[in-house]
Amino acid sequence: MGFLDGRRVLITGVASYRSLAYGIAKAMYREGAQLAFTYQNNKLKDRVRKIANDFGSDIVLPCDVSEDESINDLFLHLSKFWLKFDGFVHAIAYASNDQLNGDYVESITREGFSVAHNVTSYSFVALAKACRNMLSTCSSLVTLTYLGSVRAIPNYNVMGLAKASLEANMRYMARSLGAEGIRVNAISSGPVRTLAASGIMNFKQMLSYCKDKSPMCRNVTIDEIGNVAAFLCSDLSSGITGEVIYVDAGFSVV
Ligand code: NAP
C-alpha cells in the first residue's frame, strides 16, 4: 500500500524522461496515485501519451498556460474523467533564451519580463483559480522553484524575478485556499539537466559549481525531487503549507 493510494493528481510540465515532472510522476505512481497529464502543444502529445502510459494513465490533455481559454478547456475535459481530484503539480516555466544569457540589465526587456512572469508565476494561480471547485478538501498544489529567486545567479536573470513572484504567489495561494483544506507549497530544486535548463547559458558550469560546493558534494536527482513532491501531496505533510522546501543537496545553506 502506498501513501498516495486513492489520490488523483494532475501533472503538468512533462517534456521528457529528464523532466522534474517525470521524477514526480514516477514517485507518485509508485505510492499509488492515479495520474493525469498535460502537454503544451501537439509536438509533445505522443511523447507525453507514452509517458502517461508508463504510469497507467490514459488521461492526457492539452494546456497552454499562457491562455485562459486553454486552461478552462483543460478542466472541462478533465471533469469528464474526474469530477473531483486531489491536487496538481505545476512544473512549468518559460523565458526566451536571450533573457537567460549574460548581463541582466542589458538583456532584460519589457516583453521578456512579462512573458516570464506570465508563464512561470501567474499560471500557477490561474490553474488553481480554474479548478478550485474541483479540488477535494485534502488537496495539495506543488510548484517548482529555484534559488535564483533569492540570490542573484549568473545568467538566471529575469527567471529569478519570476521565481520570486512564484514563491510569493504560492504563499498568497496557501492563505487563500487553506480554509478549504487545500495546501500549497514549492520545492526549490538544485540544478538538474533538463530541456528547460539547457536554455540557461553556462548551465554545465552551474551544475559542477553546485556539485563542488554543496555539503553533499553532488547534485540532486529527479527521483529525489519526486519523493518530496509525493510527500507534499500526501497526508504525511498535512501540517505544511506556504513553504519553500529546498531539495538541493544543501547548496543553499553554504
Ligand atoms: P522541462 O522538462 O523542460 O519542463 C518544462 C515544462 O514547461 C515543459 O513541459 C514545457 O513544455 C512547459 N511549458 C513551458 N511553457 C509552457 C506553457 N505556456 N504552457 C504549458 N507548458 C509550458 O524542464 P524542468 O527543468 O523539468 O522544469 C520544470 C520546472 O522545474 C520549471 O518550473 C523549472 O523552472 C523548475 N526548476 C528546474 C530546475 C532545473 O535545474 N532543471 C531547477 C529548479 C527548478 P514544452 O516543452 O512544450 O515547452
Side-chain angles (χ1 to χ4, degrees), residues 152-181:
I153 308 262
N155 300 311
Y156 202 63
N157 296 354
V158 72
M159 191 53 81
L161 285 65
K163 292 297 191 187
S165 163
L166 175 67
E167 291 173 20
N169 194 1
M170 178 276 294
R171 286 186 285 274
Y172 276 86
M173 289 166 67
R175 180 149 205 256
S176 177
L177 299 170
E180 293 162 37

mmCIF file of all heavy atoms in Angstrom, residues 152-181:
data_model
loop_
_atom_site.group_PDB
_atom_site.id
_atom_site.type_symbol
_atom_site.label_atom_id
_atom_site.label_comp_id
_atom_site.label_asym_id
_atom_site.label_seq_id
_atom_site.Cartn_x
_atom_site.Cartn_y
_atom_site.Cartn_z
ATOM 1 N N ALA A 152 21.169 36.467 -6.609
ATOM 2 C CA ALA A 152 21.418 36.868 -7.999
ATOM 3 C C ALA A 152 22.406 35.873 -8.614
ATOM 4 O O ALA A 152 23.603 35.911 -8.334
ATOM 5 C CB ALA A 152 21.979 38.278 -8.037
ATOM 6 N N ILE A 153 21.894 34.965 -9.430
ATOM 7 C CA ILE A 153 22.693 33.886 -10.010
ATOM 8 C C ILE A 153 23.038 34.248 -11.462
ATOM 9 O O ILE A 153 22.132 34.648 -12.207
ATOM 10 C CB ILE A 153 21.872 32.567 -10.005
ATOM 11 C CG1 ILE A 153 21.312 32.278 -8.606
ATOM 12 C CG2 ILE A 153 22.649 31.398 -10.609
ATOM 13 C CD1 ILE A 153 22.055 31.340 -7.740
ATOM 14 N N PRO A 154 24.308 34.087 -11.875
ATOM 15 C CA PRO A 154 24.670 34.459 -13.241
ATOM 16 C C PRO A 154 23.767 33.809 -14.291
ATOM 17 O O PRO A 154 23.471 32.609 -14.179
ATOM 18 C CB PRO A 154 26.108 33.937 -13.396
ATOM 19 C CG PRO A 154 26.625 33.794 -12.007
ATOM 20 C CD PRO A 154 25.442 33.562 -11.110
ATOM 21 N N ASN A 155 23.316 34.583 -15.244
ATOM 22 C CA ASN A 155 22.511 34.141 -16.399
ATOM 23 C C ASN A 155 21.060 33.752 -16.078
ATOM 24 O O ASN A 155 20.249 33.628 -16.985
ATOM 25 C CB ASN A 155 23.161 32.966 -17.152
ATOM 26 C CG ASN A 155 24.530 33.346 -17.683
ATOM 27 O OD1 ASN A 155 24.671 34.390 -18.299
ATOM 28 N ND2 ASN A 155 25.528 32.529 -17.425
ATOM 29 N N TYR A 156 20.731 33.553 -14.817
ATOM 30 C CA TYR A 156 19.343 33.169 -14.494
ATOM 31 C C TYR A 156 18.419 34.378 -14.711
ATOM 32 O O TYR A 156 17.238 34.234 -15.034
ATOM 33 C CB TYR A 156 19.263 32.622 -13.061
ATOM 34 C CG TYR A 156 18.064 31.735 -12.826
ATOM 35 C CD1 TYR A 156 17.905 30.542 -13.528
ATOM 36 C CD2 TYR A 156 17.082 32.087 -11.909
ATOM 37 C CE1 TYR A 156 16.799 29.731 -13.319
ATOM 38 C CE2 TYR A 156 15.982 31.276 -11.688
ATOM 39 C CZ TYR A 156 15.843 30.102 -12.400
ATOM 40 O OH TYR A 156 14.743 29.296 -12.183
ATOM 41 N N ASN A 157 18.970 35.553 -14.478
ATOM 42 C CA ASN A 157 18.335 36.829 -14.857
ATOM 43 C C ASN A 157 16.845 36.919 -14.566
ATOM 44 O O ASN A 157 16.424 36.683 -13.450
ATOM 45 C CB ASN A 157 18.646 37.107 -16.340
ATOM 46 C CG ASN A 157 20.144 37.306 -16.565
ATOM 47 O OD1 ASN A 157 20.912 37.342 -15.608
ATOM 48 N ND2 ASN A 157 20.561 37.444 -17.802
ATOM 49 N N VAL A 158 16.023 37.216 -15.582
ATOM 50 C CA VAL A 158 14.607 37.511 -15.348
ATOM 51 C C VAL A 158 13.872 36.317 -14.725
ATOM 52 O O VAL A 158 12.868 36.481 -14.033
ATOM 53 C CB VAL A 158 13.917 37.963 -16.652
ATOM 54 C CG1 VAL A 158 13.727 36.808 -17.616
ATOM 55 C CG2 VAL A 158 12.564 38.602 -16.340
ATOM 56 N N MET A 159 14.398 35.106 -14.929
ATOM 57 C CA MET A 159 13.735 33.939 -14.351
ATOM 58 C C MET A 159 13.823 33.987 -12.818
ATOM 59 O O MET A 159 12.927 33.489 -12.129
ATOM 60 C CB MET A 159 14.362 32.653 -14.905
ATOM 61 C CG MET A 159 13.591 31.409 -14.576
ATOM 62 S SD MET A 159 11.846 31.455 -15.027
ATOM 63 C CE MET A 159 11.948 31.076 -16.746
ATOM 64 N N GLY A 160 14.872 34.628 -12.296
ATOM 65 C CA GLY A 160 14.972 34.796 -10.842
ATOM 66 C C GLY A 160 13.822 35.646 -10.316
ATOM 67 O O GLY A 160 13.210 35.337 -9.280
ATOM 68 N N LEU A 161 13.487 36.701 -11.038
ATOM 69 C CA LEU A 161 12.374 37.574 -10.629
ATOM 70 C C LEU A 161 11.054 36.810 -10.709
ATOM 71 O O LEU A 161 10.188 36.930 -9.837
ATOM 72 C CB LEU A 161 12.286 38.795 -11.556
ATOM 73 C CG LEU A 161 13.302 39.920 -11.404
ATOM 74 C CD1 LEU A 161 14.718 39.475 -11.731
ATOM 75 C CD2 LEU A 161 12.912 41.082 -12.298
ATOM 76 N N ALA A 162 10.916 36.038 -11.791
ATOM 77 C CA ALA A 162 9.671 35.281 -11.987
ATOM 78 C C ALA A 162 9.509 34.221 -10.894
ATOM 79 O O ALA A 162 8.401 33.972 -10.414
ATOM 80 C CB ALA A 162 9.665 34.635 -13.370
ATOM 81 N N LYS A 163 10.626 33.616 -10.475
ATOM 82 C CA LYS A 163 10.551 32.607 -9.405
ATOM 83 C C LYS A 163 10.263 33.285 -8.054
ATOM 84 O O LYS A 163 9.588 32.699 -7.200
ATOM 85 C CB LYS A 163 11.839 31.786 -9.329
ATOM 86 C CG LYS A 163 12.061 30.869 -10.529
ATOM 87 C CD LYS A 163 10.988 29.805 -10.673
ATOM 88 C CE LYS A 163 11.359 28.743 -11.686
ATOM 89 N NZ LYS A 163 10.267 27.803 -11.964
ATOM 90 N N ALA A 164 10.779 34.504 -7.841
ATOM 91 C CA ALA A 164 10.446 35.239 -6.607
ATOM 92 C C ALA A 164 8.944 35.512 -6.589
ATOM 93 O O ALA A 164 8.276 35.346 -5.557
ATOM 94 C CB ALA A 164 11.235 36.541 -6.548
ATOM 95 N N SER A 165 8.405 35.894 -7.730
ATOM 96 C CA SER A 165 6.957 36.120 -7.839
ATOM 97 C C SER A 165 6.198 34.822 -7.593
ATOM 98 O O SER A 165 5.190 34.800 -6.875
ATOM 99 C CB SER A 165 6.638 36.686 -9.229
ATOM 100 O OG SER A 165 5.270 36.558 -9.499
ATOM 101 N N LEU A 166 6.698 33.742 -8.162
ATOM 102 C CA LEU A 166 6.035 32.434 -7.987
ATOM 103 C C LEU A 166 5.979 32.047 -6.502
ATOM 104 O O LEU A 166 4.959 31.551 -6.010
ATOM 105 C CB LEU A 166 6.797 31.368 -8.790
ATOM 106 C CG LEU A 166 6.312 29.927 -8.632
ATOM 107 C CD1 LEU A 166 4.916 29.749 -9.231
ATOM 108 C CD2 LEU A 166 7.294 28.957 -9.310
ATOM 109 N N GLU A 167 7.080 32.288 -5.785
ATOM 110 C CA GLU A 167 7.108 31.910 -4.359
ATOM 111 C C GLU A 167 6.128 32.767 -3.546
ATOM 112 O O GLU A 167 5.436 32.268 -2.655
ATOM 113 C CB GLU A 167 8.539 32.002 -3.820
ATOM 114 C CG GLU A 167 9.427 30.917 -4.415
ATOM 115 C CD GLU A 167 10.904 31.042 -4.048
ATOM 116 O OE1 GLU A 167 11.241 31.728 -3.052
ATOM 117 O OE2 GLU A 167 11.741 30.440 -4.763
ATOM 118 N N ALA A 168 6.047 34.055 -3.861
ATOM 119 C CA ALA A 168 5.084 34.927 -3.169
ATOM 120 C C ALA A 168 3.660 34.495 -3.523
ATOM 121 O O ALA A 168 2.780 34.408 -2.659
ATOM 122 C CB ALA A 168 5.316 36.377 -3.574
ATOM 123 N N ASN A 169 3.457 34.184 -4.784
ATOM 124 C CA ASN A 169 2.170 33.689 -5.285
ATOM 125 C C ASN A 169 1.759 32.452 -4.481
ATOM 126 O O ASN A 169 0.621 32.346 -3.996
ATOM 127 C CB ASN A 169 2.414 33.337 -6.759
ATOM 128 C CG ASN A 169 1.173 33.133 -7.565
ATOM 129 O OD1 ASN A 169 0.060 33.254 -7.071
ATOM 130 N ND2 ASN A 169 1.355 32.813 -8.834
ATOM 131 N N MET A 170 2.702 31.542 -4.294
ATOM 132 C CA MET A 170 2.455 30.301 -3.549
ATOM 133 C C MET A 170 1.979 30.624 -2.126
ATOM 134 O O MET A 170 1.029 30.023 -1.626
ATOM 135 C CB MET A 170 3.757 29.490 -3.566
ATOM 136 C CG MET A 170 3.769 28.195 -2.820
ATOM 137 S SD MET A 170 4.113 28.368 -1.059
ATOM 138 C CE MET A 170 5.796 28.962 -1.039
ATOM 139 N N ARG A 171 2.628 31.603 -1.482
ATOM 140 C CA ARG A 171 2.231 31.945 -0.093
ATOM 141 C C ARG A 171 0.823 32.543 -0.060
ATOM 142 O O ARG A 171 0.012 32.207 0.807
ATOM 143 C CB ARG A 171 3.245 32.914 0.532
ATOM 144 C CG ARG A 171 4.560 32.248 0.909
ATOM 145 C CD ARG A 171 5.480 33.201 1.654
ATOM 146 N NE ARG A 171 6.094 34.175 0.766
ATOM 147 C CZ ARG A 171 7.225 33.960 0.082
ATOM 148 N NH1 ARG A 171 7.854 32.806 0.181
ATOM 149 N NH2 ARG A 171 7.723 34.900 -0.707
ATOM 150 N N TYR A 172 0.517 33.428 -1.006
ATOM 151 C CA TYR A 172 -0.837 34.027 -1.044
ATOM 152 C C TYR A 172 -1.884 32.963 -1.365
ATOM 153 O O TYR A 172 -2.993 32.990 -0.832
ATOM 154 C CB TYR A 172 -0.891 35.173 -2.071
ATOM 155 C CG TYR A 172 -0.405 36.479 -1.476
ATOM 156 C CD1 TYR A 172 0.943 36.805 -1.462
ATOM 157 C CD2 TYR A 172 -1.303 37.365 -0.887
ATOM 158 C CE1 TYR A 172 1.399 37.980 -0.886
ATOM 159 C CE2 TYR A 172 -0.862 38.548 -0.311
ATOM 160 C CZ TYR A 172 0.489 38.853 -0.317
ATOM 161 O OH TYR A 172 0.926 40.014 0.258
ATOM 162 N N MET A 173 -1.531 32.029 -2.227
ATOM 163 C CA MET A 173 -2.472 30.935 -2.538
ATOM 164 C C MET A 173 -2.711 30.079 -1.296
ATOM 165 O O MET A 173 -3.835 29.672 -1.009
ATOM 166 C CB MET A 173 -1.917 30.072 -3.685
ATOM 167 C CG MET A 173 -1.950 30.766 -5.030
ATOM 168 S SD MET A 173 -0.936 29.913 -6.281
ATOM 169 C CE MET A 173 -1.833 28.393 -6.504
ATOM 170 N N ALA A 174 -1.638 29.811 -0.537
ATOM 171 C CA ALA A 174 -1.769 28.999 0.687
ATOM 172 C C ALA A 174 -2.740 29.685 1.639
ATOM 173 O O ALA A 174 -3.593 29.050 2.263
ATOM 174 C CB ALA A 174 -0.401 28.809 1.333
ATOM 175 N N ARG A 175 -2.629 31.002 1.750
ATOM 176 C CA ARG A 175 -3.508 31.760 2.661
ATOM 177 C C ARG A 175 -4.947 31.724 2.155
ATOM 178 O O ARG A 175 -5.895 31.542 2.904
ATOM 179 C CB ARG A 175 -3.008 33.201 2.740
ATOM 180 C CG ARG A 175 -3.841 34.044 3.641
ATOM 181 C CD ARG A 175 -3.012 35.133 4.309
ATOM 182 N NE ARG A 175 -3.652 35.530 5.547
ATOM 183 C CZ ARG A 175 -4.332 36.654 5.688
ATOM 184 N NH1 ARG A 175 -4.457 37.478 4.674
ATOM 185 N NH2 ARG A 175 -4.895 36.939 6.837
ATOM 186 N N SER A 176 -5.105 31.886 0.867
ATOM 187 C CA SER A 176 -6.439 31.963 0.283
ATOM 188 C C SER A 176 -7.174 30.620 0.338
ATOM 189 O O SER A 176 -8.379 30.572 0.568
ATOM 190 C CB SER A 176 -6.283 32.437 -1.166
ATOM 191 O OG SER A 176 -7.485 32.472 -1.828
ATOM 192 N N LEU A 177 -6.435 29.530 0.137
ATOM 193 C CA LEU A 177 -7.079 28.220 -0.045
ATOM 194 C C LEU A 177 -7.018 27.324 1.194
ATOM 195 O O LEU A 177 -7.650 26.266 1.229
ATOM 196 C CB LEU A 177 -6.418 27.492 -1.230
ATOM 197 C CG LEU A 177 -6.531 28.210 -2.586
ATOM 198 C CD1 LEU A 177 -5.649 27.531 -3.638
ATOM 199 C CD2 LEU A 177 -7.984 28.236 -3.065
ATOM 200 N N GLY A 178 -6.285 27.770 2.207
ATOM 201 C CA GLY A 178 -6.053 26.922 3.384
ATOM 202 C C GLY A 178 -7.328 26.477 4.081
ATOM 203 O O GLY A 178 -7.457 25.315 4.486
ATOM 204 N N ALA A 179 -8.299 27.382 4.216
ATOM 205 C CA ALA A 179 -9.537 27.053 4.939
ATOM 206 C C ALA A 179 -10.359 26.007 4.191
ATOM 207 O O ALA A 179 -11.231 25.362 4.770
ATOM 208 C CB ALA A 179 -10.363 28.319 5.158
ATOM 209 N N GLU A 180 -10.066 25.843 2.890
ATOM 210 C CA GLU A 180 -10.780 24.814 2.107
ATOM 211 C C GLU A 180 -10.049 23.472 2.147
ATOM 212 O O GLU A 180 -10.398 22.536 1.412
ATOM 213 C CB GLU A 180 -10.912 25.291 0.645
ATOM 214 C CG GLU A 180 -11.819 26.499 0.522
ATOM 215 C CD GLU A 180 -11.653 27.255 -0.793
ATOM 216 O OE1 GLU A 180 -11.447 26.633 -1.844
ATOM 217 O OE2 GLU A 180 -11.717 28.497 -0.751
ATOM 218 N N GLY A 181 -8.992 23.392 2.954
ATOM 219 C CA GLY A 181 -8.238 22.141 3.069
ATOM 220 C C GLY A 181 -7.239 21.962 1.940
ATOM 221 O O GLY A 181 -6.710 20.865 1.733
#
